[in-house]
Amino acid sequence: MTRFTIQFLAICLLLLGAVDAQGEYFRQKESDIDPNVFRIKEADFMGVRFDPKVEIIDENGGTLKMGDLGGKALILVWSYYTCDGSCSAINQELKLLLQEVEESQVIGRDFRVLTLSFDKEDTLETLKEFRKQLVLPQGWEEGWTFGLLKEPEQVEELTGKMGFKFFWAPQDKTFYHPNVFIFLSPEGRVTRYLYSLTNSEKDMKLAILEARKGEFKVNEVIDFVVGLCYSYNYKEGRYTYNIPLFVGLGALFVGISLLTGSLLFFKRKYNKEGA
């Protein structure tokens, strides 16, 4: 092997090493984000109850128990108050959706909303600033509570009980968590989960009616009947047409039609024979 050949091979090896190093440098690292954190296994947590004895500090610094918010359906939004992204967006989205259903479902009268922090570092100051940026419509203050857990160490227990997972990403300096509205019955039991950006006025109205457990007024009967035409789709995270119901009604209609037709046929045949 000549000296030139040896030098040529050495250069090739150096180039290959450089390419490999460059590829290693630009290779995408494995994500630290667990995709399962953004989805809750809703069916596993339906009916769980939020402990009514849990104490909450409201925006005025006063203390109330979760049970004090009972007696009405409740929409719970887990958030953290230093978030300038998804938490602000999900609360804004909820505000807009509730404005759309306000003619039939009135906040404070028919249901309440609780935005509750899962960040142990949040304070009354961060709460008030977050609340200020939301700009609630006039008259909603009594129906929408912003709070901190009086005992922050309860965060993991309470969120875990509802399937709400979250974790801190140091590289991004943010929490990753599901953007979800959790609907509770007047007794504080979970009745439905709705995910942000996938809902319509119809979904919000049906979820509130469902949380109210049949406690609706006469003028809401039509909404209730219409609601029977929909069922919650766990895969899509929203309400879709209740296909089994329509199939069942269709089968019932066909059966009644066949029975009626058969009776008419035999009646005519009997009349002709009697004549």
Side-chain angles (χ1 to χ4, degrees), residues 91-142:
N91 280 272
Q92 286 285 355
E93 180 187 353
L94 180 59
K95 181 182 77 171
L96 295 176
L97 285 170
L98 294 181
Q99 286 178 312
E100 292 180 2
V101 304
E102 196 169 15
E103 290 186 3
S104 59
Q105 306 280 2
V106 180
I107 185 172
R109 185 193 72 185
D110 302 316
F111 65 93
R112 298 179 64 107
V113 177
L114 172 63
T115 296
L116 189 59
S117 174
F118 59 79
D119 184 2
K120 298 176 183 178
E121 301 300 321
D122 266 325
T123 64
L124 277 177
E125 287 69 29
T126 59
L127 182 158
K128 290 178 180 179
E129 184 60 28
F130 185 92
R131 159 74 176 79
K132 179 181 177 182
Q133 297 299 322
L134 187 58
V135 189
L136 292 180
Q138 186 175 2
W140 283 26
E141 293 81 5
E142 295 299 321

Side-chain angles (χ1 to χ4, degrees), residues 202 206 226-233 236 238-246:
K202 172 204 69 183
L206 292 176
V226 171
L228 296 178
C229 298
Y230 296 88
S231 61
Y232 185 76
N233 188 316
E236 298 184 21
R238 61 189 181 90
Y239 290 87
T240 55
Y241 285 114
N242 192 343
I243 302 299
L245 174 64
F246 288 110

Side-chain angles (χ1 to χ4, degrees), residues 56-244:
I56 298 169
I57 300 174
D58 64 22
E59 60 188 279
N60 298 315
T63 301
L64 67 154
K65 293 183 178 180
M66 187 66 184
D68 297 334
L69 300 174
K72 297 182 185 295
L74 179 72
I75 304 175
L76 172 63
V77 189
W78 286 106
S79 305
Y80 71 101
Y81 298 132
T82 56
C83 175
D84 57 0
S86 62
C87 291
S88 299
I90 187 177
N91 280 272
Q92 286 285 355
E93 180 187 353
L94 180 59
K95 181 182 77 171
L96 295 176
L97 285 170
L98 294 181
Q99 286 178 312
E100 292 180 2
V101 304
E102 196 169 15
E103 290 186 3
S104 59
Q105 306 280 2
V106 180
I107 185 172
R109 185 193 72 185
D110 302 316
F111 65 93
R112 298 179 64 107
V113 177
L114 172 63
T115 296
L116 189 59
S117 174
F118 59 79
D119 184 2
K120 298 176 183 178
E121 301 300 321
D122 266 325
T123 64
L124 277 177
E125 287 69 29
T126 59
L127 182 158
K128 290 178 180 179
E129 184 60 28
F130 185 92
R131 159 74 176 79
K132 179 181 177 182
Q133 297 299 322
L134 187 58
V135 189
L136 292 180
Q138 186 175 2
W140 283 26
E141 293 81 5
E142 295 299 321
W144 194 322
T145 301
F146 294 80
L148 306 167
L149 287 173
K150 186 174 182 180
E151 299 181 18
E153 60 272 16
Q154 293 180 307
V155 166
E156 285 79 8
E157 176 189 353
L158 296 174
T159 54
K161 191 175 182 180
M162 294 182 170
F164 185 94
K165 300 177 183 178
F166 64 93
F167 63 91
W168 175 257
Q171 68 277 17
D172 298 323
K173 296 183 179 180
T174 188
F175 279 106
Y176 287 106
H177 60 89
N179 292 323
V180 63
F181 310 122
I182 305 177
F183 293 78
L184 306 178
S185 70
E187 297 78 30
R189 296 191 181 277
V190 175
T191 61
R192 185 62 60 211
Y193 295 86
L194 289 184
Y195 293 90
S196 177
L197 303 179
T198 63
N199 307 296
S200 64
E201 174 187 350
K202 172 204 69 183
D203 297 306
M204 184 59 59
K205 186 179 294 186
L206 292 176
I208 294 174
L209 274 175
E210 195 173 23
R212 289 170 63 188
K213 293 291 184 180
E215 296 179 1
F216 50 84
K217 304 174 183 61
V218 175
N219 62 345
E220 295 175 315
V221 171
I222 294 178
D223 289 332
F224 175 74
V225 173
V226 171
L228 296 178
C229 298
Y230 296 88
S231 61
Y232 185 76
N233 188 316
Y234 285 101
K235 184 176 181 180
E236 298 184 21
R238 61 189 181 90
Y239 290 87
T240 55
Y241 285 114
N242 192 343
I243 302 299

